[in-house]
Amino acid sequence: MNKYKNMTDEDLVISYMDGDAKAFDEILSRYQSTLFTYFVYIVKNEDEANELFQETFVKVVVHLQTRRYKSMGLFRYWLLRIAHNTISDRLRRSEFKLMTDANTDNDLTRLNNDSITVDSYESDIIRMQTYDKLHDMVEQLPAEQREIVYLHYFEELTFREIADIMGISINTALGRMRYAIINLRKMADFKVL
């Protein structure tokens, strides 16, 4: 049995900082899929996602080897923060533009409403088709809005956690989610017409 599988992230990090390279292999295997999916979702390009992934883990290694990580039980958030900063740096270099068109109609509760779910074969098919359409629309959002949607709905992070990871205020995180919802509604209205 692999002793590393039962270790917490924090224990693995401490072991790695103390010179155990296999501990880092376990960290990498735990987060490789999550981070790569995160990068692909945001930048929509596998080659660039690979570059971002490698750049992120180089930063992680450097931080750990220089002991700039302080163990507080928050390794996952720390890692996501580095990943976010890596994406932000890349987007700034490519002169990323944020689409913002405000609308007063904003109801975030509709995205997670169990009352619209009906347990039947037809509803499962409709739900899958709706999910596919929603996924396609989310893919069209600007990267900063896509990232908020991804972290909140797929990683199930709170807006406070997202704000900490992204280095923004909670109001900015909520505002970006609001703009994402507004833009999704516009796309949905356009597709209906």
Side-chain angles (χ1 to χ4, degrees):
M1 185 156 131
N2 184 348
K3 73 175 185 175
Y4 299 106
K5 294 281 183 204
N6 296 326
M7 293 174 72
T8 66
D9 291 344
E10 299 301 313
D11 291 338
L12 289 168
V13 167
I14 291 167
S15 292
Y16 177 69
M17 289 191 304
D18 289 340
D20 185 354
K22 290 190 183 229
F24 186 79
D25 293 342
E26 178 62 26
I27 292 170
L28 184 62
S29 72
R30 284 184 187 181
Y31 290 101
Q32 184 172 359
S33 177
T34 300
L35 280 183
F36 185 74
T37 302
Y38 173 57
F39 290 135
V40 169
Y41 193 79
I42 300 302
V43 298
K44 298 187 211 177
N45 180 305
E46 284 191 30
D47 292 334
E48 191 163 344
N50 275 318
E51 289 178 28
L52 288 165
F53 179 82
Q54 291 172 12
E55 188 177 335
T56 297
F57 268 96
V58 165
K59 289 177 182 179
V60 168
V61 167
V62 168
H63 279 73
L64 294 179
Q65 288 179 348
T66 58
R67 296 190 173 271
R68 291 195 321 218
Y69 173 76
K70 304 295 181 221
S71 179
M72 296 182 296
L74 301 171
F75 177 77
R76 178 176 180 240
Y77 301 117
W78 180 78
L79 180 63
L80 285 171
R81 176 69 186 257
I82 291 175
H84 165 75
N85 288 343
T86 304
I87 290 172
S88 294
D89 292 345
R90 179 71 53 97
L91 293 174
R92 268 193 294 276
R93 286 191 301 261
S94 66
E95 297 182 9
F96 170 73
K97 301 289 184 226
L98 177 64
M99 177 172 57
T100 56
D101 187 12
N103 186 336
T104 58
D105 184 26
N106 183 25
D107 184 7
L108 299 178
T109 60
R110 292 183 188 164
L111 285 179
N112 235 356
N113 191 348
D114 290 336
S115 67
I116 61 172
T117 308
V118 179
D119 292 331
S120 71
Y121 180 70
E122 283 181 7
S123 68
D124 287 344
I125 292 172
I126 292 169
R127 189 177 20 232
M128 287 172 38
Q129 290 172 342
T130 303
Y131 178 79
D132 288 343
K133 288 177 185 175
L134 180 60
H135 181 70
D136 291 343
M137 289 188 309
V138 169
E139 287 289 320
Q140 296 175 34
L141 290 174
E144 288 180 347
Q145 293 173 20
R146 243 188 352 263
E147 185 175 15
I148 294 281
V149 170
Y150 179 84
L151 291 172
H152 186 67
Y153 288 103
F154 296 102
E155 291 297 319
E156 299 179 353
L157 298 177
T158 66
F159 287 107
R160 182 169 307 284
E161 292 167 335
I162 292 168
D164 289 343
I165 288 168
M166 296 180 75
I168 58 178
S169 72
I170 193 167
N171 287 337
T172 301
L174 290 167
R176 288 181 184 170
M177 177 59 86
R178 179 175 178 266
Y179 290 132
I181 300 300
I182 290 167
N183 288 328
L184 288 171
R185 282 190 180 161
K186 286 180 181 178
M187 286 183 241
D189 288 344
F190 181 73
K191 290 185 184 227
V192 170
L193 295 175

